[in-house]
Amino acid sequence: MASSMLFKITLISCLAMATAHKKAAPPADSSGSTNSTGSTGSNIFDVTKYSASTSASPSANSKAFLEAFKAACKVKGRPTFLVPKGTYQLGPVTFEGPCQGTHITFEIQGTLVAPPDVKSIPGNAWIEFDSLHEMVLQGGGVFDGQGQSTWPLPSHNKPISIRLMKCVIGRITNITSKNSKFFHMSLHHAEGIIIENLKIVAPGHSKNTDGIHISGSSNITLNNIDIGTGDDCISIGPGTNNVIVTGIKCGPGHGLSIGSLGKYKDEEDVGNIHVKNCTLAGTTNGVRIKTWPGAPPSEAFNITFDDVTMTNVSYPIIIDQKYCPNGECTTHAPSLVKLRDIRFSRIRGTSNTPVAVKLACSDKEPCQNVKLQDISLKPLTSAIDEISSFCTNVHGAVSGIQNPDPCLGPHPGNSSNSDSSSAPSPAPTDD
Ligand SMILES: *[C@@H]1O[C@H](CO)[C@@H](O)[C@H](O)[C@H]1NC(C)=O
Ligand SMILES: *[C@@H]1O[C@H](CO)[C@@H](O)[C@H](O)[C@H]1NC(C)=O
Ligand SMILES: *[C@@H]1O[C@H](CO)[C@@H](O)[C@H](O)[C@H]1NC(C)=O
Ligand SMILES: *[C@@H]1O[C@H](CO)[C@@H](O)[C@H](O)[C@H]1NC(C)=O
Ligand SMILES: *[C@@H]1O[C@H](CO)[C@@H](O)[C@H](O)[C@H]1NC(C)=O
Ligand SMILES: *[C@@H]1O[C@H](CO)[C@@H](O)[C@H](O)[C@H]1NC(C)=O
Ligand SMILES: *[C@@H]1O[C@H](CO)[C@@H](O)[C@H](O)[C@H]1NC(C)=O
């Protein structure tokens, strides 16, 4: 009873938050999609009228896209930039605002195909939206990053497929990103953006292909997104505040992550991140917070993971303050990222590793107020006798069902348990 009450209260407050965020974003604009003939409507800027075509070269199409955008950006009112159905080879493009109008819609109905080699995209992103106010990206189109040959390469110099920089108020809906070279999508210094009803696809072995990475941004809602990729489905980096993540299906992939944090100096705090009603299947982590060894001081706080279903997941619940993928870290000093007010609630499903709950916090900044509520995990197969939890430097409390047996003390604010010596300390090796 108590837990169903809690569920309702949480649900209501989450819905209220989602609504609050939604108010900030413009409604999806239908003018472009209902008029797909599109050509001469005064507010419709069809790339094929600017000599883009399904037979043109990537650079010719980039030029045409940019011209259509520049024209759209000059009109007052609510222009629509239209890419009709068809497959277009496309080099890098930056849609840079601010524009004259108050609202711009990118109606992408076609499939955009990136050049396969990294050299053709010298910047950080293949398609960038920069400094736009009230933008909508929609249309059922596909962004094909053609990353296959770049996945084995080191991560520097690989472009993000879709990047939003300094965009304020926007909605991204009804598009597909596939086979990005690096992250599928990233938001940096963005505010008031809703992203929903997307598909993100790449194989499990595609390196560094995070689904959606958010940093330095606030008031972001992610809802109803299917993500299968080779790195984190969602990753939330430094300086991010007020994020709601709901209805994500993740797998394959490395799970839903806060971090990694503390790789660089002067990172800003992360706060008020709420993940709810998500499912993960066959991922190498479930819900995770990760910070680097030797991380300089910052904080991550008010983070909740509620109603998450896991199937065949490694490390379903994990805090890792010694995050060191591929031995990349240069120190073993404790992380100084302080993690506090963190809740894992109603997490259920199957673990394919014996350590189903791993809370490995910093020796110097123990985690504060970590709550485990109604954790119901089982071993995936009989090959795993028993699942367990592992804690170091965690202060917090548990309530409700606890499977595996918890390693946290029963009382809020109780000092750290000391059962770490006997438990194994496996470290996930992925990034
Ligand atoms: C579609 O565009 C055409 C050409 O400009 C215009 O005549 C027509 O009214 C538009 N239809 C709608 C539904 O906006
Ligand atoms: C997605 O876009 C396509 C093409 O414009 C449209 O037919 C379809 O209805 C859209 N789907 C949703 C859910 O909006
Ligand atoms: C972000 O949220 C805060 C607090 O809810 C609000 O004051 C602010 O106006 C929002 N900003 C945008 C761009 O939505
Ligand atoms: C939970 O997410 C799924 C998509 O994975 C969605 O279909 C369902 O409606 C969501 N449920 C609630 C209560 O929001
Ligand atoms: C946690 O975050 C939520 C939503 O962002 C906010 O409403 C709430 O006040 C925050 N709680 C604390 C203790 O800061
Ligand atoms: C579990 O996930 C792994 C990795 O995605 C996959 O190879 C394996 O087939 C899955 N096992 C089951 C029983 O689903
Ligand atoms: C903390 O937990 C231990 C063991 O469960 C218990 O003996 C001790 O009294 C608790 N301390 C406080 C301050 O609650």
Side-chain angles (χ1 to χ4, degrees), residues 377-411:
L377 295 164
K378 289 187 298 213
L380 174 69
T381 65
S382 54
I384 302 169
D385 297 342
E386 204 181 1
I387 54 170
S388 62
S389 43
F390 168 81
C391 295
T392 40
N393 307 311
V394 194
H395 298 223
V398 302
S399 61
I401 302 162
Q402 292 294 325
N403 221 328
D405 286 339
C407 49
L408 272 177
H411 305 293

Side-chain angles (χ1 to χ4, degrees), residues 336-387:
L336 298 181
V337 178
K338 185 178 186 89
L339 306 180
R340 63 175 173 88
D341 306 325
I342 293 159
R343 180 177 76 212
F344 299 95
S345 176
R346 298 180 305 272
I347 313 282
R348 59 189 87 81
T350 54
S351 175
N352 68 27
T353 50
V355 179
V357 178
K358 178 179 172 183
L359 307 175
C361 295
S362 164
D363 299 339
K364 277 275 164 60
E365 288 289 358
C367 296
Q368 301 293 342
N369 191 23
V370 175
K371 288 187 178 136
L372 291 173
Q373 303 176 335
D374 293 315
I375 307 301
S376 182
L377 295 164
K378 289 187 298 213
L380 174 69
T381 65
S382 54
I384 302 169
D385 297 342
E386 204 181 1
I387 54 170

Side-chain angles (χ1 to χ4, degrees), residues 7 11 15 223-226 246-250 276-279 307:
F7 175 83
L11 183 62
L15 288 174
N223 178 41
N224 192 26
I225 305 177
D226 277 14
T246 55
I248 308 296
K249 286 189 192 146
C250 170
K276 191 171 163 57
N277 185 33
C278 295
T279 60
D307 300 299

